[in-house]
Amino acid sequence: SPSNPAAKKYLAQLYQFTGKTAEAEKLLLEITQEQPDVFENHNALAVFYSETRRFDRAIRSLQRAIELKPHHI
């Protein structure tokens, strides 16, 4: 697993697109834990959860993203 958050995000997208959702989720969760105050990380996790039809988790991630940048959405 790469140490750069941007690289992790891209790798997570690659995992998701190739059906490796568990690996994608792991990386996205790592990113949000390493950088908990970065809107884009929580937004990416919300999109992932929405696309994998886990809407309860998507809502929680999106709520955190909105807390960080309330005027962005």
Side-chain angles (χ1 to χ4, degrees), residues 25-57:
E25 181 179 17
K26 180 181 178 217
L27 286 176
L28 290 170
L29 287 170
E30 283 179 19
I31 295 166
T32 58
Q33 290 169 356
E34 292 167 1
Q35 296 180 319
D37 296 329
V38 176
F39 163 86
E40 291 79 8
N41 296 342
H42 293 279
N43 190 59
L45 188 58
V47 169
F48 168 79
Y49 282 138
S50 178
E51 290 176 349
T52 56
R53 306 192 57 77
R54 290 183 277 176
F55 299 116
D56 56 332
R57 293 180 184 191

Short mmCIF file of all heavy atoms in Angstrom, two decimals, residues 25-57:
data_model
loop_
_atom_site.label_atom_id
_atom_site.label_comp_id
_atom_site.label_asym_id
_atom_site.label_seq_id
_atom_site.Cartn_x
_atom_site.Cartn_y
_atom_site.Cartn_z
N GLU A 25 -12.20 -0.05 0.08
CA GLU A 25 -12.71 0.50 1.33
C GLU A 25 -11.59 0.66 2.36
O GLU A 25 -11.49 1.68 3.04
CB GLU A 25 -13.81 -0.39 1.89
CG GLU A 25 -14.40 0.15 3.18
CD GLU A 25 -15.51 -0.73 3.72
OE1 GLU A 25 -15.62 -1.91 3.31
OE2 GLU A 25 -16.26 -0.23 4.57
N LYS A 26 -10.73 -0.33 2.46
CA LYS A 26 -9.62 -0.28 3.42
C LYS A 26 -8.74 0.95 3.17
O LYS A 26 -8.39 1.68 4.10
CB LYS A 26 -8.78 -1.55 3.33
CG LYS A 26 -7.61 -1.58 4.28
CD LYS A 26 -6.80 -2.85 4.14
CE LYS A 26 -5.62 -2.79 5.09
NZ LYS A 26 -4.42 -3.37 4.57
N LEU A 27 -8.40 1.19 1.92
CA LEU A 27 -7.55 2.34 1.60
C LEU A 27 -8.26 3.66 1.87
O LEU A 27 -7.67 4.59 2.43
CB LEU A 27 -7.10 2.29 0.14
CG LEU A 27 -6.03 1.26 -0.19
CD1 LEU A 27 -5.76 1.25 -1.69
CD2 LEU A 27 -4.75 1.56 0.56
N LEU A 28 -9.52 3.75 1.51
CA LEU A 28 -10.26 4.99 1.74
C LEU A 28 -10.42 5.27 3.23
O LEU A 28 -10.33 6.42 3.66
CB LEU A 28 -11.63 4.92 1.04
CG LEU A 28 -11.57 4.96 -0.49
CD1 LEU A 28 -12.92 4.64 -1.09
CD2 LEU A 28 -11.06 6.31 -0.98
N LEU A 29 -10.63 4.23 4.02
CA LEU A 29 -10.70 4.41 5.46
C LEU A 29 -9.35 4.85 6.03
O LEU A 29 -9.30 5.70 6.92
CB LEU A 29 -11.19 3.13 6.14
CG LEU A 29 -12.67 2.82 5.96
CD1 LEU A 29 -12.98 1.41 6.46
CD2 LEU A 29 -13.54 3.85 6.65
N GLU A 30 -8.27 4.28 5.52
CA GLU A 30 -6.93 4.70 5.95
C GLU A 30 -6.71 6.18 5.69
O GLU A 30 -6.20 6.90 6.55
CB GLU A 30 -5.85 3.90 5.22
CG GLU A 30 -5.63 2.51 5.72
CD GLU A 30 -4.55 1.77 4.92
OE1 GLU A 30 -3.73 2.42 4.23
OE2 GLU A 30 -4.54 0.53 4.98
N ILE A 31 -7.11 6.63 4.51
CA ILE A 31 -6.93 8.03 4.14
C ILE A 31 -7.70 8.94 5.09
O ILE A 31 -7.17 9.95 5.56
CB ILE A 31 -7.38 8.28 2.68
CG1 ILE A 31 -6.50 7.51 1.70
CG2 ILE A 31 -7.36 9.77 2.36
CD1 ILE A 31 -7.08 7.44 0.31
N THR A 32 -8.94 8.59 5.39
CA THR A 32 -9.73 9.45 6.27
C THR A 32 -9.20 9.44 7.70
O THR A 32 -9.33 10.43 8.41
CB THR A 32 -11.23 9.07 6.27
OG1 THR A 32 -11.38 7.71 6.68
CG2 THR A 32 -11.85 9.27 4.90
N GLN A 33 -8.58 8.34 8.10
CA GLN A 33 -7.99 8.29 9.43
C GLN A 33 -6.68 9.07 9.49
O GLN A 33 -6.37 9.73 10.49
CB GLN A 33 -7.77 6.84 9.86
CG GLN A 33 -9.06 6.11 10.14
CD GLN A 33 -8.88 4.61 10.29
OE1 GLN A 33 -7.79 4.08 10.14
NE2 GLN A 33 -9.97 3.92 10.60
N GLU A 34 -5.90 9.01 8.42
CA GLU A 34 -4.62 9.72 8.37
C GLU A 34 -4.82 11.23 8.22
O GLU A 34 -4.01 12.01 8.71
CB GLU A 34 -3.77 9.20 7.21
CG GLU A 34 -3.30 7.77 7.41
CD GLU A 34 -2.73 7.15 6.16
OE1 GLU A 34 -2.68 7.80 5.10
OE2 GLU A 34 -2.36 5.96 6.23
N GLN A 35 -5.87 11.61 7.51
CA GLN A 35 -6.15 13.03 7.27
C GLN A 35 -7.63 13.30 7.56
O GLN A 35 -8.44 13.50 6.64
CB GLN A 35 -5.84 13.40 5.82
CG GLN A 35 -4.39 13.26 5.45
CD GLN A 35 -4.15 13.63 4.00
OE1 GLN A 35 -4.93 13.29 3.12
NE2 GLN A 35 -3.05 14.33 3.75
N PRO A 36 -8.01 13.29 8.84
CA PRO A 36 -9.43 13.37 9.19
C PRO A 36 -10.09 14.72 8.89
O PRO A 36 -11.32 14.80 8.87
CB PRO A 36 -9.43 13.11 10.70
CG PRO A 36 -8.07 13.48 11.16
CD PRO A 36 -7.15 13.17 10.00
N ASP A 37 -9.30 15.74 8.63
CA ASP A 37 -9.88 17.07 8.38
C ASP A 37 -9.85 17.47 6.91
O ASP A 37 -10.00 18.65 6.59
CB ASP A 37 -9.14 18.12 9.22
CG ASP A 37 -9.33 17.87 10.72
OD1 ASP A 37 -10.39 17.35 11.10
OD2 ASP A 37 -8.41 18.19 11.49
N VAL A 38 -9.71 16.49 6.02
CA VAL A 38 -9.67 16.78 4.59
C VAL A 38 -11.01 16.39 3.96
O VAL A 38 -11.38 15.22 3.93
CB VAL A 38 -8.50 16.04 3.90
CG1 VAL A 38 -8.52 16.26 2.40
CG2 VAL A 38 -7.17 16.50 4.49
N PHE A 39 -11.74 17.40 3.50
CA PHE A 39 -13.05 17.22 2.90
C PHE A 39 -13.05 16.15 1.81
O PHE A 39 -13.91 15.27 1.78
CB PHE A 39 -13.54 18.56 2.32
CG PHE A 39 -14.66 18.43 1.34
CD1 PHE A 39 -15.98 18.39 1.78
CD2 PHE A 39 -14.42 18.35 -0.03
CE1 PHE A 39 -17.02 18.27 0.88
CE2 PHE A 39 -15.46 18.23 -0.92
CZ PHE A 39 -16.77 18.18 -0.47
N GLU A 40 -12.09 16.24 0.90
CA GLU A 40 -12.06 15.35 -0.27
C GLU A 40 -11.99 13.88 0.12
O GLU A 40 -12.55 13.03 -0.58
CB GLU A 40 -10.89 15.72 -1.19
CG GLU A 40 -11.05 17.06 -1.88
CD GLU A 40 -10.73 18.28 -1.01
OE1 GLU A 40 -10.23 18.11 0.12
OE2 GLU A 40 -11.00 19.40 -1.47
N ASN A 41 -11.33 13.58 1.21
CA ASN A 41 -11.22 12.18 1.65
C ASN A 41 -12.58 11.64 2.08
O ASN A 41 -12.96 10.52 1.70
CB ASN A 41 -10.22 12.07 2.79
CG ASN A 41 -8.83 12.45 2.38
OD1 ASN A 41 -8.50 12.49 1.20
ND2 ASN A 41 -8.00 12.77 3.34
N HIS A 42 -13.30 12.41 2.87
CA HIS A 42 -14.62 11.97 3.32
C HIS A 42 -15.61 11.93 2.16
O HIS A 42 -16.47 11.05 2.10
CB HIS A 42 -15.12 12.88 4.44
CG HIS A 42 -14.29 12.76 5.68
ND1 HIS A 42 -14.46 11.73 6.58
CD2 HIS A 42 -13.26 13.50 6.14
CE1 HIS A 42 -13.58 11.87 7.56
NE2 HIS A 42 -12.83 12.94 7.31
N ASN A 43 -15.48 12.87 1.25
CA ASN A 43 -16.34 12.88 0.07
C ASN A 43 -16.08 11.64 -0.79
O ASN A 43 -17.03 11.01 -1.28
CB ASN A 43 -16.12 14.16 -0.73
CG ASN A 43 -17.15 14.33 -1.81
OD1 ASN A 43 -18.34 14.38 -1.54
ND2 ASN A 43 -16.69 14.41 -3.05
N ALA A 44 -14.82 11.30 -0.99
CA ALA A 44 -14.48 10.11 -1.77
C ALA A 44 -15.05 8.85 -1.11
O ALA A 44 -15.57 7.95 -1.79
CB ALA A 44 -12.97 9.98 -1.93
N LEU A 45 -14.98 8.78 0.21
CA LEU A 45 -15.53 7.64 0.92
C LEU A 45 -17.05 7.61 0.78
O LEU A 45 -17.64 6.54 0.58
CB LEU A 45 -15.11 7.69 2.39
CG LEU A 45 -15.44 6.48 3.25
CD1 LEU A 45 -14.83 5.20 2.69
CD2 LEU A 45 -14.99 6.71 4.69
N ALA A 46 -17.69 8.76 0.85
CA ALA A 46 -19.14 8.83 0.67
C ALA A 46 -19.55 8.35 -0.72
O ALA A 46 -20.52 7.59 -0.87
CB ALA A 46 -19.64 10.25 0.90
N VAL A 47 -18.82 8.76 -1.73
CA VAL A 47 -19.11 8.33 -3.10
C VAL A 47 -18.93 6.81 -3.22
O VAL A 47 -19.76 6.11 -3.79
CB VAL A 47 -18.21 9.07 -4.12
CG1 VAL A 47 -18.32 8.45 -5.51
CG2 VAL A 47 -18.59 10.55 -4.16
N PHE A 48 -17.85 6.31 -2.65
CA PHE A 48 -17.61 4.86 -2.67
C PHE A 48 -18.77 4.11 -2.05
O PHE A 48 -19.28 3.15 -2.61
CB PHE A 48 -16.30 4.52 -1.95
CG PHE A 48 -16.12 3.06 -1.68
CD1 PHE A 48 -15.70 2.20 -2.69
CD2 PHE A 48 -16.41 2.52 -0.43
CE1 PHE A 48 -15.56 0.84 -2.45
CE2 PHE A 48 -16.26 1.16 -0.18
CZ PHE A 48 -15.84 0.32 -1.20
N TYR A 49 -19.18 4.54 -0.85
CA TYR A 49 -20.28 3.85 -0.17
C TYR A 49 -21.57 3.96 -0.95
O TYR A 49 -22.36 3.00 -1.01
CB TYR A 49 -20.45 4.39 1.25
CG TYR A 49 -19.44 3.85 2.23
CD1 TYR A 49 -18.85 4.68 3.16
CD2 TYR A 49 -19.09 2.51 2.25
CE1 TYR A 49 -17.92 4.20 4.08
CE2 TYR A 49 -18.16 2.02 3.14
CZ TYR A 49 -17.59 2.87 4.07
OH TYR A 49 -16.68 2.37 4.97
N SER A 50 -21.82 5.09 -1.56
CA SER A 50 -23.02 5.25 -2.37
C SER A 50 -23.00 4.30 -3.57
O SER A 50 -23.99 3.63 -3.87
CB SER A 50 -23.14 6.70 -2.83
OG SER A 50 -24.27 6.86 -3.64
N GLU A 51 -21.85 4.24 -4.23
CA GLU A 51 -21.73 3.37 -5.41
C GLU A 51 -21.80 1.89 -5.06
O GLU A 51 -22.15 1.08 -5.91
CB GLU A 51 -20.44 3.70 -6.16
CG GLU A 51 -20.50 5.05 -6.84
CD GLU A 51 -19.20 5.45 -7.52
OE1 GLU A 51 -18.16 4.79 -7.31
OE2 GLU A 51 -19.22 6.46 -8.25
N THR A 52 -21.45 1.56 -3.82
CA THR A 52 -21.54 0.16 -3.39
C THR A 52 -22.82 -0.09 -2.59
O THR A 52 -22.95 -1.12 -1.94
CB THR A 52 -20.30 -0.25 -2.56
OG1 THR A 52 -20.14 0.63 -1.45
CG2 THR A 52 -19.04 -0.24 -3.43
N ARG A 53 -23.75 0.87 -2.69
CA ARG A 53 -25.10 0.75 -2.13
C ARG A 53 -25.13 0.57 -0.62
O ARG A 53 -26.02 -0.05 -0.07
CB ARG A 53 -25.88 -0.34 -2.84
CG ARG A 53 -25.88 -0.16 -4.36
CD ARG A 53 -26.84 -1.02 -5.12
NE ARG A 53 -28.22 -0.88 -4.73
CZ ARG A 53 -29.05 0.12 -5.06
NH1 ARG A 53 -28.60 1.11 -5.78
NH2 ARG A 53 -30.31 0.12 -4.67
N ARG A 54 -24.17 1.18 0.07
CA ARG A 54 -24.17 1.19 1.54
C ARG A 54 -24.49 2.61 1.97
O ARG A 54 -23.63 3.37 2.39
CB ARG A 54 -22.83 0.68 2.07
CG ARG A 54 -22.70 -0.82 1.79
CD ARG A 54 -21.46 -1.38 2.35
NE ARG A 54 -20.39 -1.10 1.37
CZ ARG A 54 -19.12 -1.39 1.58
NH1 ARG A 54 -18.74 -1.92 2.71
NH2 ARG A 54 -18.22 -1.13 0.67
N PHE A 55 -25.76 2.93 1.82
CA PHE A 55 -26.20 4.31 1.94
C PHE A 55 -26.09 4.87 3.36
O PHE A 55 -25.84 6.06 3.53
CB PHE A 55 -27.62 4.46 1.39
CG PHE A 55 -27.70 4.08 -0.05
CD1 PHE A 55 -28.46 2.99 -0.45
CD2 PHE A 55 -27.01 4.79 -1.02
CE1 PHE A 55 -28.53 2.63 -1.79
CE2 PHE A 55 -27.07 4.44 -2.36
CZ PHE A 55 -27.84 3.36 -2.75
N ASP A 56 -26.25 4.02 4.38
CA ASP A 56 -26.10 4.51 5.75
C ASP A 56 -24.68 5.03 5.98
O ASP A 56 -24.47 6.09 6.58
CB ASP A 56 -26.47 3.43 6.77
CG ASP A 56 -25.67 2.15 6.60
OD1 ASP A 56 -25.22 1.85 5.48
OD2 ASP A 56 -25.49 1.43 7.61
N ARG A 57 -23.71 4.30 5.48
CA ARG A 57 -22.31 4.74 5.62
C ARG A 57 -22.02 5.95 4.74
O ARG A 57 -21.25 6.83 5.10
CB ARG A 57 -21.36 3.60 5.28
CG ARG A 57 -21.43 2.47 6.29
CD ARG A 57 -20.50 1.35 5.95
NE ARG A 57 -20.66 0.24 6.88
CZ ARG A 57 -19.86 -0.78 6.95
NH1 ARG A 57 -18.82 -0.87 6.15
NH2 ARG A 57 -20.08 -1.74 7.82
#
